[in-house]
Amino acid sequence: MRNSPVYRYNIEDEKWDKYGPYRPVLHITMHQLHVTLQMIQNDVNEIIPKNSRLKQFITDTLSPDDKIHQHVTLHLHPFIPDENDNHEELLRRTMRYVEQCLLSDCPGNNLTQLLARHTFHKEDEIFQKLPHQNNDRPTLDDTKCHIIRQLSTLEKAKRVTSINNYQNIVTAIAEDINRVDNYRKNRQEQLTITRNSISEIEEIRLNYQKRLERYANYLKRFNE
């Protein structure tokens, strides 16, 4: 019997590659998949392009030769939002990847040099210790490749430019760092003010408590 069909994530597809190395995966039984696909079978020609790989996948999957208890693995494609929102999200994602490179002590006078330099084992070790989404562990070289492809997409959208070595990415990261630092500074000041207020309130409470104790002692002597 032939192997179960698998609709694989196409790493060459730039439209999907912008989502980076994190690929959502769905493990599903053939029975569940059959039920789902049969529900859309009548409308498949209207909702899926004629030459689509997905349509071929559906045709293969609905073949009666498949065993109903087999499992199939689907590498899912995220829904693409509005193009402007998509570029903004891609920009933020690229910034996060660049931050990870910087935190891994990747050298370079600018982003172009950083991405072009050879990755040393020590840098990749630091990179692997950083928190990653969905417990994925891409290599530092993989992340650099994703950054390069994402920068190409962003440059086509005129969000960045290679003329200045993508300086606006670095500038945006620096602004984010300053924003976080200012937020932490403000929070620290607020916490200090709050602690002082609590101390003052506690002091007032103790004064009232002492006064109540004096009144209580006075009333006790008066009643005696």
Side-chain angles (χ1 to χ4, degrees), residues 81 132 137 210:
H132 297 280
R137 284 293 181 270
K210 291 178 180 178

Side-chain angles (χ1 to χ4, degrees), residues 49-62:
K50 182 177 180 180
N51 297 323
S52 169
R53 289 175 295 153
L54 179 57
K55 185 174 181 180
Q56 184 61 43
F57 165 73
I58 292 175
T59 302
D60 293 342
T61 304
L62 289 175

Side-chain angles (χ1 to χ4, degrees), residues 1-6 66 70:
M1 188 190 72
R2 60 185 175 80
N3 294 330
S4 300
V6 176
D66 289 322
Q70 280 188 323

Side-chain angles (χ1 to χ4, degrees), residues 8-212:
R8 298 187 179 279
Y9 182 96
N10 184 1
I11 198 63
E12 300 300 326
D13 188 346
E14 181 179 350
K15 181 172 65 174
W16 302 116
D17 189 52
K18 66 182 65 177
Y19 287 93
Y22 308 109
R23 310 170 192 173
V25 176
L26 173 65
H27 300 280
I28 187 172
T29 65
M30 292 300 296
H31 173 69
Q32 294 169 325
L33 189 59
H34 271 249
V35 172
T36 302
L37 295 179
Q38 285 171 354
M39 294 179 66
I40 66 170
Q41 188 175 22
N42 294 334
D43 301 316
V44 68
N45 292 327
E46 297 181 11
I47 62 178
I48 300 177
K50 182 177 180 180
N51 297 323
S52 169
R53 289 175 295 153
L54 179 57
K55 185 174 181 180
Q56 184 61 43
F57 165 73
I58 292 175
T59 302
D60 293 342
T61 304
L62 289 175
S63 170
D65 295 333
D66 289 322
K67 287 187 177 181
I68 210 69
H69 295 296
Q70 280 188 323
H71 287 73
V72 64
T73 300
L74 304 180
H75 296 271
L76 307 180
H77 290 170
F79 173 75
I80 294 185
D82 179 75
E83 191 67 18
N84 291 331
D85 293 339
N86 195 37
H87 288 145
E88 184 63 29
E89 172 59 26
L90 180 60
L91 179 64
R92 303 300 302 181
R93 190 185 300 273
T94 304
M95 288 171 56
R96 288 196 296 271
Y97 291 161
V98 173
E99 286 177 3
Q100 290 177 335
C101 291
L102 295 173
L103 291 172
S104 301
D105 292 337
C106 295
N109 294 327
N110 53 58
L111 186 52
T112 302
Q113 289 185 8
L114 183 150
L115 296 173
R117 286 180 179 271
H118 172 72
T119 299
F120 292 98
H121 180 67
K122 183 178 180 180
E123 296 167 4
D124 196 57
E125 279 187 338
I126 298 174
F127 176 79
Q128 294 301 325
K129 294 178 181 178
L130 297 176
H132 297 280
Q133 295 180 0
N134 303 325
N135 294 321
D136 288 332
R137 284 293 181 270
T139 66
L140 184 52
D141 279 332
D142 288 339
T143 300
K144 286 183 177 181
C145 289
H146 282 293
I147 292 173
I148 292 171
R149 286 192 287 267
Q150 290 171 353
L151 288 174
S152 176
T153 301
L154 289 170
E155 187 163 22
K156 291 176 183 177
K158 298 182 179 180
R159 300 300 299 272
V160 299
T161 175
S162 58
I163 296 176
N164 63 357
N165 296 308
Y166 312 103
Q167 181 59 38
N168 46 338
I169 290 282
V170 179
T171 301
I173 292 174
E175 289 175 350
D176 272 358
I177 293 174
N178 289 335
R179 192 178 300 112
V180 171
D181 287 344
N182 289 334
Y183 172 78
R184 289 176 177 171
K185 182 179 179 180
N186 291 335
R187 285 290 297 165
Q188 187 62 40
E189 291 176 353
Q190 292 174 4
L191 287 173
T192 301
I193 293 173
T194 301
R195 291 192 185 101
N196 291 337
S197 298
I198 292 174
S199 297
E200 292 174 358
I201 293 172
E202 179 64 15
E203 185 176 351
I204 293 173
R205 186 188 69 82
L206 291 175
N207 288 334
Y208 275 119
Q209 184 175 354
K210 291 178 180 178
R211 292 173 64 180
L212 287 173

